[in-house]
């Protein structure tokens, strides 16, 4: 990994990834793709505006001799993106795929950061979802775009055998600077819980998210991997740890007034978080661990990060 | 970053039994009300995973809890159960069953508990057909499903330990079965005496005897990705026949439903089965 291209560097996690990559000794150049230039960035990070034409992207990759691509735009909520309704960038993924797989491309590794939200969540699920488990139905309105984008990356991998494509399915991210949708739920003044449920939850500490991504790019991993910090934790334990006031509520969708509630700061459960807070969700990370990656944080560390988010 | 966790429940949501009121009630029911006795408990391994297979009965089946308590007392090991996934959709109910060690009945969970966590897992292959059967089928084992429990044990590479319970069917004697659109519904003596709600909970104090049979292991050097159904059905039938024979033997030995003293003679008669009383 010498010259790294980071797509979606405008997201909180993308920005942290770009900076962490630039700090690596063996990395010569980081090219960060984002809509607006940030002049105060790390001196080894070169900013490039997002280019819609894959041929222009390919030309830029050749010019900068890019060997690794990290894509942070597949699952915005896992990148700490707080834009309402931000969905997976399918067209962006197709353009990126077309550029990296083009004949003569210098790229050898493409790491696409996806989400564990691709697994269905209901009362009949196993404790830990594996990478081989079925994903949500493709017609799922909320996640359909993410599935399509993942499928496109897999398709590129099949047709470009010289290119190592790794899809990292990130668990709910928590940590200073990049909190995902579930972490933000626990950051509310009072935290609504679903009455009668105490789900098993699992977070990914932002430090582990960065380390796992760099690990996948450096090792040129191929295939699909779940990423989470060690262990699982019950919601009640997290609430105890964070010393928050919880209000049990009915499992009703807040979809209609979600935008308004967010703006005025009324505690509520978003549609994204509702199934997680009813049935819980956790993933099996043994595949990535077998590849050699050991998470540095456990769920207590993640709960600590949630507490810090509140203070 | 710290590596310690202070969780009092395990990752499956099971709470270690303590000294609270709920445990005191269970202890009373086990020791004084049902006067549970065990034989052959040494067949339950002290270490490693094993799939415990039992016969199912009772309107509010107590068999799972009895096996769980007995194994915890006699072998010092927790027993997990695989439960109907519909329980876990329901508020409070899912939480309650998790706390006593019931996990979602998913093959992945079973394999993880048995192979990875090396735990004891209890299953009742008769499913809901066990408790809901006509009086003519009393103490007759119903079909053992599609042999899924055999596949689970084969994939996890663990033995099957059959456990036969006598007395559980007498805690809620079934008088007849009413067909309904959602499946058959048993009419019990308890329901006629105490009404439909209390009758579903109130149990007669039948003496419950539990006998553990030697573990069954098959010599499978390689388990194929798709195990032929014929193998699963044959093996399931083998386990079922063994349990039915033992069930018949235990019924022959029994002196009475409520005051059974047959187990007093067992140390000499039961040979290598061994015996342990709780």
């Amino acid at each position: 990994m010498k010259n790294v291209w980071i797509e979606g560097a405008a997201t909180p996690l993308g920005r942290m990834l770009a900076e962490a990559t630039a700090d690596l000794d063996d990395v010569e150049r980081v090219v960060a793709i984002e809509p607006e230039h940030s002049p105060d960035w790390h001196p080894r990070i070169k900013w490039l505006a997002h280019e819609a034409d894959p041929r222009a992207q390919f030309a830029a990759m050749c010019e900068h001799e890019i060997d690794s691509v990290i894509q942070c735009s597949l699952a915005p909520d896992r990148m700490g993106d707080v834009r309402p309704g931000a969905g997976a960038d399918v067209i962006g993924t197709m353009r990126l795929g077309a550029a990296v797989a083009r004949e003569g491309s210098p790229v050898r590794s493409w790491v696409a950061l996806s989400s564990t939200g691709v697994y269905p969540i209901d009362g009949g699920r196993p404790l830990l979802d594996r990478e081989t488990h079925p994903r949500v139905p493709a017609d799922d309105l909320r996640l359909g775009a993410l599935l399509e984008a993942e499928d496109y990356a897999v398709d590129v991998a099949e047709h470009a055998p010289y290119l190592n494509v790794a899809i990292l399915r990130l668990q709910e991210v928590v940590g200073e600077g990049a909190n995902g949708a579930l972490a933000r739920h626990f950051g509310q003044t009072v935290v609504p819980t679903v009455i009668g449920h105490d789900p098993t939850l699992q977070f990914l500490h932002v430090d582990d998210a960065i380390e796992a991504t760099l690990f996948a790019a450096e090792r040129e991993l191929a295939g699909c991997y779940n990423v989470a910090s060690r262990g699982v934790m019950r919601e009640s334990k997290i609430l105890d740890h964070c010393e928050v006031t919880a209000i049990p509520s009915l499992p009703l969708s807040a979809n209609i007034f979600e935008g308004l509630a967010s703006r005025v700061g009324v505690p509520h459960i978003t549609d994204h978080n509702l199934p997680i807070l009813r049935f819980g969700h956790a993933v099996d990370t043994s595949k990535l661990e077998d590849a050699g990656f050991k998470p540095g944080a456990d769920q207590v560390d993640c709960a600590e990060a949630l507490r810090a988010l509140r203070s | 970053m710290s590596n310690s966790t202070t969780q009092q429940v395990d990752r499956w949501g099971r709470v270690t039994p303590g000294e609270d009121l709920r445990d005191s009630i269970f202890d009373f029911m086990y020791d004084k009300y049902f006067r549970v006795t065990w034989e052959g408990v040494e067949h339950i391994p002290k270490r490693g995973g094993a799939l415990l297979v039992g016969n199912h009965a009772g309107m509010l089946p107590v068999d799972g809890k009895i096996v769980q308590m007995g194994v915890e007392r006699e072998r010092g090991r927790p027993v997990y159960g695989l439960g109907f996934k519909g329980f876990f959709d329901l508020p409070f109910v899912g939480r309650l069953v998790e706390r006593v060690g019931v996990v979602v009945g998913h093959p992945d969970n079973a394999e993880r508990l048995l192979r990875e966590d090396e735990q004891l897992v209890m299953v009742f292959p008769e499913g809901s057909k066990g408790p809901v059967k006509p009086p003519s089928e009393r103490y007759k084992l119903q079909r053992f499903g599609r042999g899924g429990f055999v596949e689970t044990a084969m994939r996890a590479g663990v033995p099957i330990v059959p456990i036969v319970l006598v007395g559980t069917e007498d805690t809620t004697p079934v008088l007849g079965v009413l067909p309904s659109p959602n499946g058959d519904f048993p009419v019990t003596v308890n329901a006629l005496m105490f009404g439909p709600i209390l009758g579903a909970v109130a149990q007669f104090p039948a003496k419950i005897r539990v006998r553990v049979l030697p573990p069954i292991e098959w010599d499978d050097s390689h388990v194929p990705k798709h195990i032929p159904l014929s193998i699963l059905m044959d093996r399931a039938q083998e386990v079922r026949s063994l349990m039915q024979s033992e069930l018949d033997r235990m019924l022959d030995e029994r002196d009475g439903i409520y005051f059974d003293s047959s187990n007093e003679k067992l140390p000499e008669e039961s040979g290598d089965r061994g015996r342990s009383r709780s």
Side-chain angles (χ1 to χ4, degrees), chain A residues 127 130 196 230 234 284 298, chain B residues 3 92 98 108-109 112:
Chain A
L127 177 72
R130 298 178 203 266
R230 289 194 311 276
R234 292 269 153 176
D284 183 339
D298 63 11
Chain B
N3 287 321
F92 302 107
E98 266 183 350
D108 230 60
N109 281 346
R112 201 176 288 282

Side-chain angles (χ1 to χ4, degrees), chain A residues 156-201:
Chain A
V156 168
E158 284 171 2
H159 290 93
Y162 49 87
L163 181 68
N164 292 306
V165 181
I167 297 172
L168 301 188
R169 290 180 179 156
L170 306 188
Q171 189 51 288
E172 299 284 343
V173 175
V174 63
E176 196 181 342
N179 289 290
L182 188 61
R184 293 197 297 275
H185 171 79
F186 285 97
Q188 298 181 91
T189 42
V190 289
V191 178
T193 58
V194 179
I195 193 164
H197 292 268
D198 184 14
T200 300
L201 302 178

Side-chain angles (χ1 to χ4, degrees), chain A residues 274-289:
Chain A
L274 186 58
I276 302 173
L277 295 172
R278 277 185 76 187
F279 307 117
H281 192 233
V283 293
D284 183 339
T285 57
S286 56
K287 188 178 174 190
L288 187 60
E289 286 171 29

Side-chain angles (χ1 to χ4, degrees), chain B residues 43-107:
Chain B
H43 293 311
I44 295 173
K46 274 196 161 177
R47 280 177 297 278
L51 191 66
L52 314 182
V53 176
N55 54 313
H56 210 14
M59 189 62 186
L60 183 75
V62 292
D63 35 25
K65 187 64 191 168
I66 280 170
V67 170
Q68 195 178 41
M69 287 181 74
V71 175
E72 272 168 12
R73 286 180 179 197
E74 300 289 334
R75 304 302 267 175
R77 299 191 63 181
V79 177
Y80 291 84
L82 298 176
F84 171 55
K85 68 175 186 179
F87 288 150
F88 298 87
D89 286 335
L90 302 170
F92 302 107
V93 177
R95 222 171 135 176
L96 187 73
V97 295
E98 266 183 350
R99 290 173 73 87
V100 296
V102 179
V103 306
V104 177
H106 190 285

Side-chain angles (χ1 to χ4, degrees), chain B residues 122-195:
Chain B
M122 179 92 202
V123 290
F124 296 99
E126 292 172 277
S128 60
K129 289 190 182 303
V132 186
K133 60 187 175 189
S136 57
E137 295 290 304
R138 197 164 160 268
Y139 284 114
K140 296 278 177 259
L141 291 177
Q142 302 299 292
R143 66 181 192 197
F144 271 17
R146 297 173 180 81
F149 72 102
V150 175
E151 183 171 4
T152 298
M154 288 172 71
R155 295 219 178 279
V158 298
I160 284 176
V161 182
I163 296 182
V164 183
L165 296 101
V166 165
T168 47
E169 294 206 21
D170 304 302
T171 60
T172 50
V174 177
L175 289 173
V177 174
L178 292 177
S180 82
N182 298 323
D184 293 345
F185 188 79
V187 178
T188 63
V189 177
N190 314 52
L192 291 181
M193 285 176 70
F194 307 117

Side-chain angles (χ1 to χ4, degrees), chain A residues 49-63:
Chain A
H50 186 266
E51 183 56 71
D53 184 349
R55 290 168 300 182
Q57 278 185 327
F58 169 74
M61 286 174 182
C62 291
E63 183 193 337

Side-chain angles (χ1 to χ4, degrees), chain A residues 132-152:
Chain A
T132 49
H133 284 168
R135 302 179 305 173
V136 293
D139 58 357
D140 184 293
L141 291 176
R142 193 167 56 83
L143 292 163
L146 182 58
L147 301 183
E148 195 181 347
E150 266 200 5
D151 287 344
Y152 191 74

